[in-house]
Amino acid sequence: MKLRTLTLGLLSASALAFAAHAESITIATVNNGDMVRMQKLTDDFTKANPDIQLNWVTLEENVLRERVTTDIATKGGQYDVMTIGTYEVPIWAKQSWLLPLDKLGDDYDVKDIIPAIAGGLSVDGKLYAAPFYGESSFVMYRKDLMEKAGLKMPDAPTWDFIKQAADKMTDRANGVNGVCLRGKAGWGENMAFLTAMSNSFGARWFDENWKPQFDQPEWKKTLQFYVDLMKADGPEGASSNGFNENLALFQQGKCGMWIDATVAASFVSDPKASQVADKVGYALAPDNGLGKRGNWLWAWSLAVPAGTKKADAAEKFVSWATSKHYAELVAAKEGWANVPPGTRSSLYANAEYQKAAPFAKMTLDSINAADPTHPTVKPVPYVGVQFVAIPEFQGLGTTVGQLFSAALAGQSSVDDALKQAQDAATAAMTEGGYIK
C-alpha cells in the first residue's frame, strides 16, 4: 500500500512538474483553407514537442489584420505567433516589432525559399517571417465554357479578351457569371486586386513626388472597366465578395472565370470540394500591352512578435509549419496538389508535385513575373505590387477600398469614388509629411 501511494505521489509530482514546464503559445491566423488544414495536422508538432501547447485564434482576413496590427503596435502581447503578409513584414521589422528568425534549425534550409518571396520577408539580409504559402494571381477559367463560347484562352490574355469571354460565358438563366472578381472592401481584399489591375492599365497610387494619382485618366480607365465588367458579367452582390466568397462560387460552377490568388488552384481543382475540378484551366493575369500584368506578389507568413515571452517555442512552431517536413506531411495526408505553394524552389523541382499540380508552372511563372521594386509602367517612389509599402497605406487602402466597393454597388459613380479617393489620399500624404 505504501509503495502504491509512493508511486502515485511520484506520478502526480511528475505531472505537476510537466505542467509547470509546458508552454502555451497563442497563434493568430487567417481562415483560409491552407491554414485550416494546418491546424488539423498539428498533432505531428505536439508529438515532437509535448512541452508546447497550441492555442488558436482564427479570423477572417480583414479582422485578423486589424487585431494583430493593434496588438503589436500597442505591445499587447496577446499572440506569440502572428500570420502576417509581405506588406507588414519590412515595416514592422524596421520598427523592431518582430524578432529575426535565426533559430529555425540546421535542416530548415532557408536558401530553398524562392528568392522573390524571401526578399519581401527580409530586412538587411535577415528573415523576419517564414512563408507558409506564397502566391501571385492568375486567371482560373472553365475550359468547357470557354469551348462552348467558341474561344480559346491564351496563356497570356489581355483585358479585352477577358471582357469578350465574360460576355459570351455569362448565362444568368443557368446561374453562370462570366467572371468573378473581388469586391469586398479592404486594402488586402478589393484593393489588392484593383491595385494590381491598375498597374496593367498604366495607373499608379502616387507619382515620384508622392502626389496622389486618382485624378488621372489611367485610374478612370481601370475603375470604369472593372465596374462595367462586373455589372455586365459578375455575380449579384459582388461588392460583398472577397477571396473566400468567390472561391465558393467558382467551386459551385457559378463563375466562368476567376482572377485571383494562385493559391486557390489547389481548391478549385480538388474533386472533394469543387464541382468543376476536372474542367479548370489556368492563364497569366491579363495585361493591356503596356508591359505590366495585373498580377500581385504576396506571402502569408508566420512571424514572432518582439513582445512575446515564449520566443523559442514560437520559433519552433514557425519552423515546423513552414518546413520541407510539413510539405511532405501534407502530401502524405492530402496529396501533393494540396501542399502549400509558392515558398520553396524544391517543391517546383519535385516530379510528383509537377504531376499532381497542373497549375504548378503557371504559379511559379506568375510569382517570378511580379516585380515589387518596379510595379508600375511609370516610375514611383514606393515598392509593392498590390500595395504601397508605407505605414499609412493600411488605413488609406481600406478607405479607398470602401469608396470603390460603393461604386461597384451602385451607391456612387466612378467619378465620385475617384474624386473622394484623391481627396483622402491627399489628406493622408499631407498629414504624413510626404507632400505639403
Side-chain angles (χ1 to χ4, degrees), residues 412-425:
S412 71
S413 69
V414 166
D415 287 341
D416 284 346
L418 289 168
K419 183 182 184 306
Q420 291 179 68
Q422 180 72 9
D423 291 344

Side-chain angles (χ1 to χ4, degrees), residues 18 20 50 57 88 118 125 175 201 225 252 275 283 286 294 316 321 380 405 434:
F18 171 78
V57 178
E88 293 96 345
F201 277 73
F225 183 95
Q252 294 162 13
Q275 298 174 20
K316 276 187 181 180
V380 291
S405 186
Y434 294 83

Side-chain angles (χ1 to χ4, degrees), residues 302-363:
L302 302 179
V304 179
T308 182
K309 297 179 181 178
K310 303 167 184 177
D312 288 346
E315 193 162 355
K316 276 187 181 180
F317 177 80
V318 171
S319 177
W320 171 82
T322 61
S323 65
K324 292 180 182 179
H325 166 76
Y326 179 79
E328 292 165 357
L329 177 66
V330 174
K333 299 282 187 181
E334 305 283 348
W336 277 105
N338 292 307
V339 171
T343 61
R344 291 184 172 271
S345 298
S346 58
L347 180 64
Y348 291 89
N350 185 310
E352 291 182 80
Y353 183 68
Q354 292 173 6
K355 183 178 178 181
F359 45 81
K361 184 180 185 303
M362 193 64 73
T363 295

Side-chain angles (χ1 to χ4, degrees), residues 90-123:
I91 296 173
W92 292 5
K94 289 174 182 176
Q95 297 273 7
S96 299
W97 290 352
L98 301 176
L99 296 178
L101 299 179
D102 49 15
K103 299 176 184 176
L104 291 169
D106 294 337
D107 59 349
Y108 184 80
D109 195 2
V110 171
K111 293 181 180 178
D112 187 42
I113 299 173
I114 294 171
I117 298 295
L121 304 176
S122 303
V123 173

